[in-house]
């Protein structure tokens, strides 16, 4: 189990309520996992184990679902989710170099979160903004037609 997991009583109570509400509902596993992720922000192993125990489902099945579906996260996400599109249009226009700059600047690999939980860096596929290629997002904010030289200025806006 992860040693960074900390849970509030409110989170525990909310998860218990979800589990009780869904315990006899056939096919409720995905809904339970989605609601658990809403409560915690991700699905830590400890929460997966509680779901497995309560619903009498093997932990392997819970973990398999949590790691197969992109909607689920098994690690905490940062306050700012930074995405760089690596779709064809963006990649051709330099998004690979932008990703490398972000990795250096944030000191984190794609798919990972900084130790201070401030940034999560994701290499994404097409987000449907090909006319703005290359595209970077920070949470819901879209930055288009960016260059490697723009990265530091954009990230600086989130250094609170």
């Amino acid at each position: 189990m992860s040693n960074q997991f900390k849970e509030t009583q409110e989170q525990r109570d909310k998860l218990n309520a979800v589990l009780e509400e869904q315990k006899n509902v056939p096919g409720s596993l995905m809904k339970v996992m989605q609601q658990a992720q809403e409560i915690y922000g991700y699905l830590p192993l400890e929460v997966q184990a509680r779901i497995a125990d309560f619903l009498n489902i093997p932990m392997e099945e819970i973990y398999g679902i949590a790691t197969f579906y992109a909607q689920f996260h098994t690690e905490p996400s940062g306050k700012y989710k930074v995405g760089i599109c690596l779709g064809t249009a963006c990649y051709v226009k330099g998004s690979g170099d932008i990703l490398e700059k972000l990795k250096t600047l944030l000191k984190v690999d794609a798919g990972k979160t900084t130790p201070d939980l401030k940034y999560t860096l994701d290499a994404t596929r097409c987000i449907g903004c090909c006319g703005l290629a290359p595209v970077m997002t920070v949470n819901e904010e879209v930055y288009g037609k960016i260059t490697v030289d723009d990265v530091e200025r954009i990230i600086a806006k989130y250094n609170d």
Side-chain angles (χ1 to χ4, degrees):
M1 302 285 172
S2 60
N3 55 9
Q4 64 188 21
F5 176 68
K6 290 183 178 47
E7 167 183 58
T8 67
Q9 187 61 47
E10 180 183 6
Q11 288 171 318
R12 181 178 265 297
D13 292 345
K14 284 181 178 181
L15 180 60
N16 288 341
V18 167
L19 291 169
E20 282 296 329
E21 177 183 300
Q22 298 294 323
K23 73 177 173 183
N24 295 317
V25 177
S28 65
L29 178 56
M30 290 290 282
K31 184 173 184 174
V32 167
M33 291 175 69
Q34 289 165 338
Q35 289 179 323
Q37 183 165 277
E38 285 178 26
I39 293 167
Y40 294 92
Y42 70 113
L43 287 174
L45 287 174
E46 294 84 351
V47 171
Q48 293 177 49
R50 289 218 333 257
I51 293 169
D53 289 344
F54 192 89
L55 298 178
N56 198 28
I57 295 173
M59 176 63 178
E60 294 82 5
E61 185 176 338
I62 307 289
Y63 184 77
I65 291 169
T67 56
F68 178 80
Y69 290 101
Q71 68 177 296
F72 294 119
H73 305 284
T74 58
E75 298 290 327
S77 292
K79 177 179 179 182
Y80 300 110
K81 292 157 192 69
V82 179
I84 183 69
C85 179
L86 295 180
T88 304
C90 287
Y91 194 79
V92 166
K93 292 191 175 187
S95 66
D97 293 335
I98 294 167
L99 175 61
E100 291 306 313
K101 177 68 174 187
L102 284 163
K103 288 164 61 173
T104 301
L105 183 63
L106 300 176
K107 297 179 178 75
V108 67
D109 285 328
K112 300 293 183 183
T113 300
T114 57
D116 63 1
L117 298 179
K118 187 167 186 178
Y119 297 101
T120 296
L121 178 60
D122 285 316
T124 65
R125 294 295 163 214
C126 184
I127 62 169
C129 295
C130 302
L132 297 175
V135 174
M136 179 174 124
T137 59
V138 180
N139 293 347
E140 303 302 316
E141 189 78 26
V142 177
Y143 297 91
K145 298 185 179 188
I146 64 169
T147 68
V148 170
D149 294 336
D150 297 323
V151 172
E152 284 187 50
R153 176 185 49 79
I154 293 169
I155 293 300
K157 290 173 53 175
Y158 301 93
N159 284 333
D160 41 33

